[in-house]
Amino acid sequence: MSAELATVSFRTESGAAEDESWTIVHSAALSNTVPWRTFRWYKGQRHYSGMYWSATMRDHVIYESRLELSRLIFADFDQAVHRILAQPFLLKAKVDRKTRKHIPDYFLVTDHGPVVVDVKPEHLLTKPTVAYTFGWTRRLVEARGWRYEVWSEAPPPELENLRFLAGYRRPWLFDAALLDEVRGADVVGRTFGEVVRGLAGCDPATARAAVLHLLWRGELRTDLSTPLSDRHEVVRSA
């Protein structure tokens, strides 16, 4: 396989299709695309498709399965991710004397460079067609100096915690003065419950929601590897 002969097709925000050489296309061009393909809903379909409002994108991002939605939530939570593009482009390459095509699931623009993501259940990764496609895709992506990621099931407690925190991701629902009060609170050595109770004069449910919002934003941190509770210690991000 020659990376120099590979091509990438993508749709601009106007919907126009463009073709470029894979080796020279700029990541900025791929950072402002609309999905190469969209999905349909129909009775009896095997996958759960939908749209997720992303706090990172301030817009909806599509997904084609529950597993893709899980990866999307992780990307939205990651403060190093600045853009999330679903079904971002069509890769074409000559592999073993045949033209191969593949549409990755996500293209992420991060502090550490572009990341191309494919999502697949772990039990399918050893399937020959899957391994073959991901293999040549990885070689093309890494030839650009970008990162390629195959993502499968996340640890259940962490995933459930992020699903829960995602319910507090919409910034316009929170009072700015209350968020500033939480930001100014002394959280050193205190648990989540203690931080909430320390917001004197504030409705407990409102205070709890504000702390959860700042956990989602990454301004506060806690251990997400176990189910979130009032006993979790909270620290301020550096």
Side-chain angles (χ1 to χ4, degrees):
M1 180 183 68
S2 172
E4 288 74 18
L5 300 179
T7 63
V8 59
S9 302
F10 55 92
R11 299 189 194 280
T12 65
E13 291 180 329
S14 68
E18 295 191 8
D19 299 306
E20 295 277 359
S21 167
W22 172 248
T23 56
I24 64 172
V25 66
H26 199 284
S27 61
L30 302 179
S31 302
N32 294 282
T33 61
V34 296
W36 179 255
R37 69 181 180 202
T38 55
F39 49 74
R40 297 175 295 168
W41 290 279
Y42 56 90
K43 185 177 180 179
Q45 71 179 29
R46 296 177 60 187
H47 298 292
Y48 184 94
S49 304
M51 291 187 291
Y52 166 88
W53 188 85
S54 163
T56 302
M57 297 296 291
R58 300 298 178 98
D59 202 352
H60 287 94
V61 179
I62 66 171
Y63 58 89
E64 291 189 311
S65 68
R66 288 283 193 180
L67 194 58
E68 286 189 17
L69 173 59
S70 297
R71 182 62 184 93
L72 179 50
I73 292 173
F74 271 79
D76 203 29
F77 177 71
D78 188 345
Q79 302 304 305
V81 175
H82 303 295
R83 292 190 65 76
I84 307 168
L85 293 307
Q87 311 292 321
F89 48 76
L90 171 67
L91 268 178
K92 288 182 284 188
K94 188 77 87 173
V95 186
D96 294 334
R97 294 178 290 185
K98 289 186 178 181
T99 300
R100 314 287 181 174
K101 301 179 182 180
H102 180 55
I103 303 172
D105 292 312
Y106 294 112
F107 181 73
L108 308 180
V109 179
T110 79
D111 287 340
H112 314 294
V115 182
V116 177
V117 181
D118 273 312
V119 176
K120 190 68 68 176
E122 188 172 5
H123 72 275
L124 295 179
L125 296 181
T126 55
K127 190 176 179 180
T129 54
V130 173
Y132 184 84
T133 298
F134 287 178
W136 67 258
T137 301
R138 178 182 296 278
R139 293 195 295 275
L140 284 179
V141 172
E142 293 181 348
R144 291 294 312 267
W146 299 350
R147 187 158 68 88
Y148 179 66
E149 173 191 298
V150 175
W151 198 86
S152 298
E153 294 82 357
E158 186 176 5
L159 176 57
E160 290 307 310
N161 282 333
L162 287 194
R163 282 177 172 166
F164 176 69
L165 288 178
Y168 299 87
R169 69 188 183 277
R170 298 171 176 84
W172 64 85
L173 297 178
F174 300 91
D175 180 73
L178 176 56
L179 293 178
D180 286 340
E181 184 178 351
V182 178
R183 291 182 179 108
D186 181 13
V187 302
V188 177
R190 302 177 75 186
T191 65
F192 175 83
E194 290 169 340
V195 173
V196 171
R197 291 189 292 272
L199 298 170
C202 181
D203 171 68
T206 303
R208 180 177 296 271
V211 176
L212 291 169
H213 177 63
L214 293 185
L215 283 170
W216 169 263
R217 289 175 57 91
E219 296 184 38
L220 300 176
R221 292 185 294 109
T222 193
D223 178 17
L224 296 177
S225 66
T226 59
L228 190 60
S229 73
D230 280 1
R231 298 183 298 275
H232 273 56
E233 184 176 349
V234 175
V235 298
R236 196 177 309 282
S237 296

